[in-house]
Amino acid sequence: MEYRRFKDTLFIRMDKGEEILEQLEKVCTAEQVKLAHVSAIGAINEFTVGVLRTAEKQYKANNFTGDHEIVSLTGTVTTKEGAFYAHLHLAAGDETGAVVGGHLNRAVVSATCEMVVRVVDGTVERRFSDEIGLNLFEFV
């Protein structure tokens, strides 16, 4: 992985074999990013995305392998109890053009991932909502 910071924006290149969330956390920790918007494109070959079953307040994880293009990867970086917290969603297409997606749990780069992180001056914490079953924005 390599990255460069240009004022409030980070451009990150992730390489084959790297896990996207791990690399994002490394950069955000090194750059002391507490609040940001994330977007990316690239290619992955193993990933796990989930969907919240709202009635049960539990995620169902779906695992995928094989060549996929990142059609869309977007989300936020915030903090939970002061620590790094990423909430990203991924849509990825296979060689037939079929797209799957959901809440990103894990994704391994197969060729490259080009990520842009727009840093925002501020902090937004997360707190768990028993009613919803998710860590929601908490404005402090």
Side-chain angles (χ1 to χ4, degrees), residues 19-22 46-51 59-63 86 88-90 102-108:
E19 199 286 315
I20 289 174
L21 289 168
E22 289 174 359
E46 61 181 272
F47 61 101
T48 303
V49 290
V51 64
Y59 271 97
K60 178 186 183 321
N62 297 299
N63 298 302
L88 305 177
H89 284 198
L90 169 76
H103 175 84
L104 179 61
N105 296 318
R106 180 175 181 274
V108 177

Side-chain angles (χ1 to χ4, degrees), residues 91-140:
D94 67 15
E95 63 187 28
T96 70
V99 176
V100 295
H103 175 84
L104 179 61
N105 296 318
R106 180 175 181 274
V108 177
V109 176
S110 61
T112 190
C113 175
E114 298 175 353
M115 181 176 285
V116 178
V117 177
R118 179 63 53 105
V119 180
V120 178
D121 182 24
T123 303
V124 173
E125 272 286 313
R126 295 278 181 166
R127 74 166 170 77
F128 186 77
S129 167
D130 289 325
E131 177 188 358
I132 305 298
L134 295 173
N135 294 309
L136 303 178
F137 281 169
E138 180 177 63
F139 301 102
V140 291

Side-chain angles (χ1 to χ4, degrees), residues 31-118:
E31 292 292 323
Q32 300 179 353
V33 174
K34 301 294 183 192
L35 183 62
H37 177 262
V38 177
S39 62
I41 57 172
I44 53 179
N45 60 3
E46 61 181 272
F47 61 101
T48 303
V49 290
V51 64
L52 179 67
R53 293 179 170 171
T54 55
E56 299 145 9
K57 299 178 190 171
Q58 293 184 346
Y59 271 97
K60 178 186 183 321
N62 297 299
N63 298 302
F64 298 92
T65 58
D67 292 330
H68 286 78
E69 289 286 327
I70 297 172
V71 175
S72 174
L73 188 155
T74 188
T76 57
V77 170
T78 56
T79 56
K80 186 167 187 285
E81 298 177 5
F84 170 85
Y85 188 96
H87 183 192
L88 305 177
H89 284 198
L90 169 76
D94 67 15
E95 63 187 28
T96 70
V99 176
V100 295
H103 175 84
L104 179 61
N105 296 318
R106 180 175 181 274
V108 177
V109 176
S110 61
T112 190
C113 175
E114 298 175 353
M115 181 176 285
V116 178
V117 177
R118 179 63 53 105

